[in-house]
């Protein structure tokens, strides 16, 4: 009856969405969600996913369970399923009717969830139980920087593997990564922004500075695309920017679009 799919969300191939139909039948998916191969979603009652939810392949979400006669005492259940923001359901998880899962939750692969799961935890098992709370643990600034350095290193390998001539140049507060295919592209990384010259047409600026208004910076600069990985915001578009942004998604890094 009702279908809503948020910005930058995707439903992969061989996903089955069907079941008994009621006036309340709803599938509502937030922003930047992914529902992956061979999932079965039964939205007889509403299935609601918050932002940044991932549903791994072969997972099943059922909002109704019935077959034998209710008049003979057999169980019949009709109830919605709700997932908060930042919920990761890995492969082959079964979620039963009436389950609510809070924000910032990771479920173990192969789990069966028949009861509500609170926010900020990891849960696993059959039936699933909380195995770790106070989750996730915040990273220090240095740990974030180290993680980013690893990502940039892997991206450079990705470019070289795909026949790009890559040149890395240190700059104040960061580095430039220039490479050529048919034309010249440029990735600029800065821990703290300052104006630079020699920006090529196809460019992306990666920032970790927290208090910078990237909308204002974008209007004032000639940079094609800006990604703030800490604020989780992005603006503009460029070939290199979109390629790097897709690469970031391998590490679960996704951003709000400001334009």
């Amino acid at each position: 009856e009702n279908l809503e799919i948020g910005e930058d969300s995707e439903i992969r191939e061989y996903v089955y969405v069907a079941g008994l139909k009621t006036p309340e039948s709803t599938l509502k998916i937030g922003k930047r969600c992914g529902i992956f191969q061979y999932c079965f979603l039964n939205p007889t009652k509403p299935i609601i996913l918050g932002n940044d939810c991932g549903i791994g392949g072969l997972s099943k979400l059922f909002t109704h369970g019935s077959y034998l006669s209710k008049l003979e005492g057999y169980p019949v259940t009709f109830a919605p399923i709700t997932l908060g923001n930042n919920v990761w359901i890995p492969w082959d998880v079964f979620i039963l009717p009436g389950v609510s899962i809070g924000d910032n939750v990771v479920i173990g692969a192969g789990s069966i969830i028949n009861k509500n799961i609170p926010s900020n935890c990891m849960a696993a098992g059959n039936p699933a139980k909380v195995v770790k709370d106070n989750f996730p643990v915040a990273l220090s600034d240095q740990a974030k920087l180290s993680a980013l350095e690893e990502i940039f290193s892997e991206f450079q390998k990705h470019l070289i593997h795909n026949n790009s001539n890559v040149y890395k140049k240190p700059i104040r507060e960061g580095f430039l990564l220039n490479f050529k295919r048919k034309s010249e592209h440029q990735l600029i990384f800065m821990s703290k922004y300052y104006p630079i010259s020699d920006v090529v047409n196809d460019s992306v600026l990666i920032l970790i500075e927290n208090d910078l208004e990237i909308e204002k910076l974008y209007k004032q600069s000639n940079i094609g695309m800006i990604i703030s990985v800490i604020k989780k915001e992005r603006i503009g578009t460029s070939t290199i920017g979109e390629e790097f942004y897709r690469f970031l998604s391998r590490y679960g890094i996704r951003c709000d679009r400001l334009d």
Side-chain angles (χ1 to χ4, degrees), residues 11-20 27 35-43 47 55 58-62:
I11 300 177
R12 293 284 182 87
E13 61 271 25
Y14 307 117
V15 171
Y16 196 86
V17 181
L20 298 176
L27 176 59
I35 300 176
F36 297 100
Q37 290 87 339
Y38 303 106
C39 285
F40 192 112
L41 277 65
N42 162 248
I47 294 178
I55 310 297
L58 296 175
S59 292
K60 284 78 67 176
L61 282 70
F62 271 77

Side-chain angles (χ1 to χ4, degrees), residues 167-178 189 194 196:
Y167 171 68
K168 186 175 181 180
K169 174 186 175 182
I171 59 173
R172 196 175 85 201
E173 306 293 346
F175 61 83
L176 296 177
L177 199 65
N178 286 54
F189 169 72
Y194 73 94
I196 60 171

Side-chain angles (χ1 to χ4, degrees), residues 204-222:
V204 57
L205 170 62
I206 314 300
L207 289 167
I208 62 172
E209 195 170 0
N210 239 336
D211 56 355
L212 203 62
E213 295 183 19
I214 68 170
E215 286 178 291
K216 185 176 179 181
L217 173 59
Y218 178 72
K219 292 176 182 177
Q220 293 175 345
S221 70
N222 59 341

Side-chain angles (χ1 to χ4, degrees), residues 67-93:
Y67 190 75
L68 300 175
S69 174
K70 183 178 180 70
L71 298 182
E72 296 176 13
Y74 293 104
V76 172
T77 306
F78 292 84
I81 291 173
T82 303
L83 276 60
N85 299 318
N86 303 316
V87 176
W88 178 19
I89 307 293
W91 279 59
D92 200 19
V93 171

Side-chain angles (χ1 to χ4, degrees), residues 18 24 29 35 40-41 48 74 92 99 108 111 114 120-121 142-143 149 158 180 205 208-209 217-218 233 247:
E24 300 170 67
I29 302 171
I35 300 176
F40 192 112
L41 277 65
I48 300 175
Y74 293 104
D92 200 19
V99 165
S111 297
N114 63 357
N120 301 104
C121 74
Q142 183 56 50
E149 288 172 353
H158 161 80
K180 287 187 177 181
L205 170 62
I208 62 172
E209 195 170 0
L217 173 59
Y218 178 72
E233 294 176 344
F247 195 84

Side-chain angles (χ1 to χ4, degrees), residues 136-173:
V137 177
L139 296 181
S140 66
D141 290 344
Q142 183 56 50
K144 290 177 184 177
L145 190 58
S146 296
L148 281 170
E149 288 172 353
E150 178 186 346
I151 292 171
F152 289 127
S153 175
E154 291 300 314
F155 185 64
Q156 187 171 349
K157 293 177 187 177
H158 161 80
L159 294 175
I160 294 170
H161 178 73
N162 286 280
N163 302 314
S164 297
N165 296 316
V166 181
Y167 171 68
K168 186 175 181 180
K169 174 186 175 182
I171 59 173
R172 196 175 85 201
E173 306 293 346

